[in-house]
């Protein structure tokens, strides 16, 4: 069974994303965390196929989180959901291996399609 972890700084959106995924993809477990330390603890204890980083606002520090996951040896696919990004930030994020950036508002088919692609690659 594939596990998907949602890290969200927009609390109210995390449950909506979780429900979209559960309604659309069979055989997955979806868990949510609201802070970086909980995410790191979860990743130490669990094997995760896809990590969804849902940001209400985008900063250099938040995008660094995706790079830090790779530095720490995490190989899960990363999907970043974010409002409008500056080109420089977008290019830096796209350089992270196995990552995709989806600009908000997120269409269900875009999100589900990317997640299914990563699950099939697993």
């Amino acid at each position: 069974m594939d596990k998907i972890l949602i890290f969200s700084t927009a609390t109210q959106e995390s449950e909506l994303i979780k429900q979209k995924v559960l309604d659309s993809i069979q055989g997955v477990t979806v868990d949510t965390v609201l802070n970086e330390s909980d995410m790191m603890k979860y990743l130490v204890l669990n094997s995760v196929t896809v990590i969804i980083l849902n940001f209400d606002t985008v900063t250099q520090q938040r995008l660094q989180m995706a790079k830090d996951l790779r530095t720490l040896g995490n190989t899960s696919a990363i999907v970043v959901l974010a409002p409008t990004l500056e080109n420089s930030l977008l290019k830096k994020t796209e350089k992270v291996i196995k990552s995709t950036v989806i600009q908000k508002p997120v269409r269900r088919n875009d999100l589900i399609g990317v997640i299914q692609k990563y699950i099939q690659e697993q």
Side-chain angles (χ1 to χ4, degrees):
M1 177 168 289
D2 292 296
K3 284 191 180 188
I4 297 171
L5 179 64
I6 300 170
F7 170 86
S8 183
T9 58
T11 313
Q12 66 279 12
E13 292 177 8
S14 59
E15 282 304 312
L16 294 171
I17 295 166
K18 180 177 180 176
Q19 204 53 55
K20 280 182 187 180
V21 173
L22 289 173
D23 289 347
S24 303
I25 303 174
Q26 299 297 314
V28 296
T29 302
V30 181
D31 292 309
T32 59
V33 293
L34 300 175
N35 64 58
E36 197 171 344
S37 66
D38 285 348
M39 178 175 64
M40 295 306 174
K41 287 177 198 171
Y42 186 93
L43 293 173
V44 166
L45 299 172
N46 298 279
S47 175
V48 176
T49 306
V50 179
I51 300 169
I52 300 172
L53 302 176
N54 179 47
F55 298 126
D56 51 357
T57 58
V58 178
T59 62
Q60 185 67 39
Q61 181 183 12
R62 287 189 176 159
L63 292 179
Q64 184 64 39
M65 189 184 305
K67 292 178 185 174
D68 291 347
L69 289 169
R70 293 293 181 252
T71 303
L72 295 170
N74 184 286
T75 59
S76 305
I78 298 172
V79 179
V80 178
L81 308 179
T84 307
L85 290 176
E86 298 173 18
N87 278 342
S88 62
L89 289 178
L90 183 59
K91 286 180 179 155
K92 287 179 184 176
T93 306
E94 288 175 339
K95 288 181 182 176
V96 177
I97 297 168
K98 276 178 59 177
S99 71
T100 302
V101 178
I102 302 175
Q103 192 168 323
K104 292 181 180 183
V106 177
R107 293 195 319 248
R108 175 189 217 116
N109 290 345
D110 292 344
L111 177 63
I112 299 306
V114 167
I115 293 171
Q116 287 177 323
K117 180 186 105 174
Y118 283 131
I119 288 173
Q120 289 169 356
E121 287 177 2
Q122 182 72 5

